[in-house]
Amino acid sequence: MKYKSQAVAKPYFIAAIALFLGQILFGLIMGLQYVVGDFLFPAIPFNVARMVHTNLLIVWLLFGFMGAAYYLIPEESERELHSTKLALVMFWIFLAAGVATILGYLLVPYATLAEMTGNNLLATMGREFLEQPLPTKVGIVVVALAMLYNLSITVLRGRKTAINLVMLVGLWGLAIFFLFSFYNPSNLVKDKYFWWWTVHLWVEGVWELIMGAMLAFVLIKVTGVDREVIEKWLYVIIAMALITGIIGTGHHYYWIGAPEYWQWWGSVFSALEPIPFFMMTVFAFNMVNRRRREHPNKAAVLWALGTGVMAFLGAGVWGFLHTLAPINFYTHGTQITAAHGHMAFYGAYVMVVITMISYTMPLMRGREANSPFAQVIEMWSFWLMTISMVFITLFLTAAGILQIWLQRIAEEPISFMAAQDQVALFYWMREAAGVIFLIGLLLYIASFFIKGKAATAVAT
Amino acid sequence: MSSAFTKSAARNIFYGGAVFFFLLFLGLTFDTMNTLPQRDNRANLTESVVRGKHIWETRNCIGCHTLMGEGAYFAPELANVYKRRGPEFIKAWIQGQPTGAPGRRQMPNFHLNEQQLDDMVNFLKYTSEINTSNWPPNIEG
Amino acid sequence: MDIVLNVSISLPAPHGNRRNLPGDLAMWFFILAELLVFGIFFLAYAFARTRNVELFNASQLELNKLSGAINTVLLISGSYFVVRAVDRIRHGQSRLCAHWLIAAMACGGAFLILKLVEFGTKIEAGISMSTNLFFMFYLGLGFFHFMHVVLGMVILGAVALKAWRGGYHANDYAGVETGAAYWHMVDLVWIVLFPLIYILN
Amino acid sequence: MTAATFQWLTLVALTALTFGLAETGVSGSAVLIPVLLATLVKGRIVIDRFMALQGVSGAWRWVVLGWLLLVLGLIAVAFQHTQN
């Protein structure tokens, strides 16, 4: 850690991990509700559990991105953060807003919550992933703008590198496209059309810039490869991501009332969306292979490589599986989408945030890397979480294929609920894999508390 | 001959490519907005439908159901439920929740009054008449 | 990818009489992505046509083949002028290089005007991308390519401006080659697009 | 630069030929094969001469030429298919 102000990332990362744990617990509740329908009903109905699960994911990833930005931008800009105090204040505001929102979901009926929070003035709630009450949405914008002000000033006054510029562009894009969450026309088709401008242009657009910048930053640090090389590949990869991803939004416009030509535009461009992810995988492995130093933080290297592979599998391969319109006609809105969503979010965004945490946390705690034993535990958690996520994806894919067959293709299609009963076995197996994931996550958290002799750099 | 791979060229490709494809996206969006009136059933977007959409949102229906395939995958697709079940069934179903059948998935009771139920049904009717390019594949959703 | 990465890390001396890639590698990645997109669209057209032959043949008759052919000649000529521009800068003649680039941009401009006239008559006739599948491809691909010509002209304009100000030299003109490569790609794509959509039935 | 001028005139001539063929009103293989061949030659000239990919080290020439061959080949397949 070169600059004192970088330490402000620490509370962000701690909050991220805590909320991650909450997300997984609610995931397990939902997984069980899939097979034991009345579990926790009416205390926590499925829709509430799901809202908590997905919103926690978004909030903790945002915590992760913000923490990463506060860590890497001072280092890249070669100066202290413009205002550490502002960053800390924003942390507490965001945490309070996040926790209050989750408690609101859990303790107040959603319709009452909507009324209490001014949803009748400007109705924005009740749309997937954007369920947050108006004050929370405004809070997200305020926190994001304060952060962007803080970071932009830092970059403007300091060194400009590809990494901090791309990170900044990504974060600005994140804030700008979130503004579409305030637009909720009563025309359902328009509502859905622009809803994707937040959701798709986040996860298959500007978030990829943030991810690329974070990965590039860690790779420079742990491999010692020339910055020039890493930065130009970063540009090429994210260029590919946006070239394919922006029009790739069209793969969401097939069946929501938009013109039919989106079936062609969406299919062609999203068929190419795996390319940037593949490049990222090759890039990560190449850089590690031509490393000029042996970084003692082996766990961080493992997470970085894992991000490349799992992002390609989850976002690239599983996305491609059902992105072509004639296939999507059958898979749209089934467990196939759930399978893809789980592995893509884990592989791309969860893992890149953990990569960043894994690399920076030891530094913020005054050592270059954790003790070998702590790293072994962390690597165990890597494998447990990653492999169980592969299985969650496989089980959901199997459930999805069977569901599609029974409900949409068979000679005598059966109803949704009848099909759900038929695929229950896969839901049980998914839940079991989910428990393994939780164990992996608990090990990961435990690895932070393991002391031991600090590792020193080993030169080979 | 100069073979090169420079950071500035890569940067220009990134910014240029991003702007280029975003402009293309705006162009297609412009055409989409002009074409929507023929597809989105806006003629039937009545006051009641607007109220129905509001109820749909404030009861977080999307947290379990899909609507045109988007949402959660826990409960049936509802964009075509009007055609699958008809108005009376829908109202009776909403009022009859939760079933309380042990081990079965449960839907909360939202205590909707008669007018709210009608608004809900009108919203689902309007939704079912949007041109979705023949999706879903069959009436089961 | 491995080979490519090698290039980027240590620029190897040209081996044998082989030349290096003209222009910047980053541009060639962009060109490759563009060719992929156009290629898939062309094949989508060809195979979608197999299921709607009559519709495609009937709709195709409404196109202005002459306008398409003139546009082909315009782009070919633009490409040729760019070749001349690269040749001039190789001899260190910045001003002449800029002149040839401006000539190429004029060809592009004429292409755009003709294309706008073509689109105008179609729009006046009430034809849009949603009219039928043929016109989806004709207008969609046409507009997509149209935007590429615009982008190509912007790139050539930037190169011409820099050349005019003496920003390139006889031994330092990679930027000219980079811009030229993109412009040739726009031409190449049209060379396939023209017979495919205007001629073949 | 006589070579480039000659290539340019070839391209123009091939375009005229393609257009002329279309104007005669013939259809089927009689137009398909010559037009695709003319396109192939035009594409090759642009790739090898204008883009100057001929003699370039590495795979780039074959990547772009391969694109041209693949696209034109599959177009030929698709159009032949409809004639049967």
Side-chain angles (χ1 to χ4, degrees):
Chain A
M1 203 175 68
K2 288 188 185 145
Y3 300 92
K4 270 191 298 205
S5 53
Q6 286 177 287
V8 79
K10 203 167 162 184
Y12 280 88
F13 288 151
I14 293 170
I17 295 171
L19 297 177
F20 183 23
L21 180 64
Q23 186 214 347
I24 299 311
L25 292 175
F26 276 86
L28 287 172
I29 292 174
M30 295 161 68
L32 199 54
Q33 286 175 334
Y34 256 93
V35 275
V36 184
D38 55 359
F39 177 64
L40 287 185
F41 188 88
I44 306 177
F46 181 88
N47 65 337
V48 172
R50 183 179 197 262
M51 195 158 55
V52 174
H53 179 67
T54 56
N55 282 229
L56 277 174
L57 168 71
I58 295 167
V59 170
W60 88 255
L61 287 181
L62 290 180
F63 267 118
F65 292 164
M66 290 177 182
Y70 285 128
Y71 187 92
L72 72 78
I73 282 190
E75 186 152 337
E76 288 291 302
S77 308
E78 296 188 325
R79 56 180 294 122
E80 295 287 354
L81 188 65
H82 174 60
S83 166
T84 317
K85 196 181 274 174
L86 182 63
L88 260 183
V89 170
M90 285 305 134
F91 167 78
W92 287 109
I93 292 178
F94 195 44
L95 187 66
V99 171
T101 304
I102 300 299
L103 289 178
Y105 291 160
L106 288 169
L107 302 178
V108 184
Y110 193 68
T112 317
L113 185 68
E115 234 160 82
M116 283 162 50
T117 55
N119 193 56
N120 290 333
L121 298 174
L122 180 65
T124 64
M125 293 170 69
R127 296 175 304 150
E128 195 184 5
F129 309 128
L130 305 182
E131 295 94 344
Q132 307 83 28
L134 193 57
T136 311
K137 285 199 178 86
V138 174
I140 291 175
V141 173
V142 169
V143 169
L145 287 182
M147 172 191 71
L148 285 167
Y149 160 77
N150 207 347
L151 295 175
S152 300
I153 297 280
T154 312
V155 172
L156 282 177
R157 289 185 185 157
R159 184 177 67 151
K160 286 144 197 88
T161 68
I163 289 176
N164 62 16
L165 286 178
V166 169
M167 188 78 183
L168 210 51
V169 171
L171 291 170
W172 272 105
L174 185 151
I176 288 166
F177 287 113
F178 183 68
L179 296 180
F180 284 93
S181 72
F182 291 95
Y183 178 62
N184 179 18
S186 28
N187 184 329
L188 185 64
V189 180
K190 275 192 184 173
D191 171 7
K192 283 174 176 285
Y193 189 93
F194 289 104
W195 177 81
W196 283 113
W197 283 45
T198 298
V199 176
H200 177 94
L201 292 180
W202 265 19
V203 300
E204 286 168 66
V206 291
W207 282 26
E208 285 186 52
L209 309 192
I210 297 170
M211 174 194 177
M214 287 162 72
L215 199 57
F217 176 79
V218 174
L219 283 174
I220 286 182
K221 299 294 171 190
V222 299
T223 65
V225 171
D226 192 16
R227 165 183 291 276
E228 203 60 19
V229 176
I230 288 191
E231 289 195 331
K232 61 193 180 189
W233 280 103
L234 169 67
Y235 273 131
V236 170
I237 290 170
I238 58 175
M240 288 294 165
L242 292 190
I243 288 169
T244 58
I246 292 175
I247 308 293
T249 316
H251 63 213
H252 301 294
Y253 294 161
Y254 301 160
W255 325 114
I256 62 164
E260 283 179 20
Y261 55 73
W262 282 111
Q263 292 180 28
W264 295 93
W265 289 89
S267 296
V268 169
F269 279 90
S270 61
L272 300 176
E273 277 189 61
I275 292 176
F277 285 107
F278 182 70
M279 290 175 81
M280 209 177 282
T281 313
V282 177
F283 167 69
F285 274 87
N286 250 293
M287 293 308 135
V288 172
N289 279 341
R290 56 190 76 239
R291 64 191 177 276
R292 290 181 180 171
R293 57 179 300 207
E294 291 297 328
H295 198 278
N297 193 339
K298 296 205 169 25
V301 179
L302 181 65
W303 281 109
L305 292 177
T307 304
V309 175
M310 294 303 289
F312 172 63
L313 275 182
V317 177
W318 251 262
F320 181 78
L321 277 183
H322 62 140
T323 200
L324 300 178
I327 297 170
N328 191 261
F329 182 68
Y330 293 102
T331 59
H332 181 55
T334 65
Q335 295 298 324
I336 299 287
T337 318
H340 161 60
H342 278 85
M343 205 201 248
F345 264 102
Y346 175 74
Y349 299 120
V350 172
M351 288 182 84
V352 81
V353 168
I354 299 185
T355 301
M356 193 72 195
I357 295 177
S358 179
Y359 169 70
T360 60
M361 265 303 204
L363 294 168
M364 285 189 282
R365 298 166 85 192
R367 49 183 176 260
E368 197 176 13
N370 287 328
S371 69
F373 182 58
Q375 285 197 48
V376 167
I377 297 298
E378 188 179 341
M379 289 195 247
W380 266 93
S381 79
F382 168 92
W383 289 109
L384 280 175
M385 284 197 272
T386 304
I387 291 174
S388 59
M389 184 50 81
V390 169
F391 276 98
I392 288 175
T393 306
L394 288 174
F395 293 143
L396 286 178
T397 306
I401 291 171
L402 194 55
Q403 177 193 10
I404 291 163
W405 176 259
L406 293 168
Q407 189 186 322
R408 292 183 174 170
I409 295 181
E411 293 272 322
E412 283 176 37
I414 62 174
S415 75
F416 176 90
M417 281 312 299
Q420 291 296 303
D421 288 340
Q422 297 291 316
V423 301
L425 178 63
F426 291 114
Y427 292 146
W428 276 115
M429 295 200 283
R430 181 268 296 266
E431 184 72 353
V435 173
I436 308 287
F437 190 98
L438 175 66
I439 294 170
L441 176 57
L442 291 173
L443 266 187
Y444 177 68
I445 293 171
S447 77
F448 286 90
F449 298 96
I450 291 169
K451 295 267 171 9
K453 227 179 89 193
T456 44
V458 195
T460 47
Chain B
M1 292 307 100
S2 41
S3 170
F5 181 23
T6 61
K7 195 161 77 183
S8 65
R11 186 195 59 217
N12 293 346
I13 298 281
F14 164 63
Y15 286 114
V19 169
F20 180 82
F21 280 91
F22 194 72
L23 287 175
L24 177 64
F25 189 48
L26 287 181
L28 289 169
T29 297
F30 178 74
D31 184 84
T32 298
M33 289 305 127
N34 285 332
T35 312
L36 278 190
Q38 293 142 45
R39 299 177 60 91
D40 63 11
N41 195 25
R42 65 180 63 182
N44 294 318
L45 196 54
T46 61
E47 287 291 309
S48 171
V49 171
V50 174
R51 286 196 301 271
K53 183 168 185 277
H54 193 73
I55 297 168
W56 166 270
E57 286 165 359
T58 50
R59 271 64 182 180
N60 194 28
C61 306
I62 207 86
C64 292
H65 293 277
T66 49
L67 193 70
M68 297 183 187
E70 294 171 359
Y73 320 106
F74 188 72
E77 164 69 32
L78 293 187
N80 66 345
V81 71
Y82 186 85
K83 293 178 176 167
R84 182 164 66 236
R85 302 292 193 193
E88 292 315 312
F89 181 98
I90 295 172
K91 285 201 244 177
W93 181 266
I94 295 174
Q95 283 174 305
Q97 298 303 316
T99 61
R104 304 296 296 173
R105 297 181 190 175
Q106 298 296 321
M107 170 169 155
N109 193 308
F110 295 108
H111 307 289
L112 302 183
N113 62 34
E114 196 56 36
Q115 199 214 332
Q116 288 175 313
L117 286 169
D118 284 334
D119 292 339
M120 196 68 229
V121 165
N122 286 335
F123 170 67
L124 291 172
K125 179 172 187 292
Y126 148 82
T127 305
S128 72
E129 289 162 357
I130 290 169
N131 182 347
T132 56
S133 307
N134 296 321
W135 193 90
N138 65 42
I139 196 67
E140 298 299 347
Chain C
M1 183 74 69
D2 208 356
I3 300 160
V4 178
L5 283 174
N6 266 324
V7 173
S8 64
I9 284 164
S10 57
L11 289 174
H15 32 87
N17 49 7
R18 291 270 156 183
R19 292 178 296 116
N20 285 321
L21 196 61
D24 200 288
L25 186 65
M27 179 56 92
W28 283 96
F29 275 108
F30 189 49
I31 288 174
L32 194 58
E34 301 271 43
L35 287 179
L36 270 175
V37 171
F38 274 108
I40 296 174
F41 262 121
F42 291 159
L43 297 179
Y45 172 91
F47 285 94
R49 183 183 168 280
T50 61
R51 282 179 288 137
N52 308 277
V53 179
E54 264 137 51
L55 172 82
F56 274 56
N57 283 346
S59 305
Q60 196 181 40
L61 289 176
E62 294 178 40
L63 301 191
N64 186 344
K65 288 193 178 64
L66 182 61
S67 166
I70 295 173
N71 266 342
T72 312
V73 172
L74 282 170
L75 282 194
I76 286 171
S77 305
S79 238
Y80 166 68
F81 295 159
V82 165
V83 172
R84 299 300 299 259
V86 175
D87 178 63
R88 285 305 96 197
I89 198 65
R90 230 175 246 152
H91 292 88
Q93 295 166 314
S94 292
R95 291 290 163 103
L96 282 176
C97 169
H99 284 152
W100 281 113
L101 289 173
I102 291 164
M105 287 165 68
C107 287
F111 176 97
L112 295 183
I113 292 168
L114 267 182
K115 207 73 213 171
L116 281 177
V117 172
E118 257 189 64
F119 285 155
T121 51
K122 293 288 169 286
I123 290 167
E124 268 175 34
I127 292 171
S128 76
M129 279 208 289
S130 302
T131 300
N132 66 35
L133 196 52
F134 176 83
F135 282 111
M136 195 293 278
F137 280 110
Y138 167 72
L139 291 173
L141 267 179
F143 177 66
F144 189 40
H145 183 268
F146 182 93
M147 285 187 63
H148 280 79
V149 177
V150 175
L151 178 59
M153 285 172 66
V154 170
I155 294 174
L156 289 188
V159 173
L161 194 65
K162 189 170 170 190
W164 187 263
R165 290 174 177 164
Y168 301 107
H169 304 285
N171 53 2
D172 167 27
Y173 54 86
V176 183
E177 287 185 323
T178 305
Y182 186 79
W183 186 253
H184 293 315
M185 184 276 291
V186 175
D187 181 28
L188 176 64
V189 166
W190 181 262
I191 281 178
V192 180
L193 194 155
F194 167 63
L196 180 65
I197 292 187
Y198 286 77
I199 304 289
L200 293 179
N201 57 42
Chain D
M1 276 324 279
T2 47
T5 309
F6 175 71
Q7 286 146 14
W8 172 48
L9 292 174
T10 312
L11 289 171
V12 174
L14 285 170
T15 306
L17 179 80
T18 306
F19 178 66
L21 260 176
E23 286 299 289
T24 59
V26 282
S27 63
S29 306
V31 66
L32 178 68
I33 292 167
V35 165
L36 284 183
L37 280 178
T39 308
L40 182 64
V41 174
K42 285 160 78 179
R44 220 219 93 186
I45 291 175
V46 171
I47 293 167
D48 276 350
R49 306 297 179 176
F50 285 9
M51 283 179 158
L53 283 181
Q54 194 170 42
V56 158
S57 56
W60 278 98
R61 181 193 180 209
W62 286 108
V63 168
V64 183
L65 266 184
W67 173 87
L68 181 70
L69 284 169
L70 190 71
V71 168
L72 291 181
L74 287 172
I75 288 173
V77 170
F79 276 74
Q80 277 296 337
H81 181 69
T82 59
Q83 284 167 18
N84 301 326

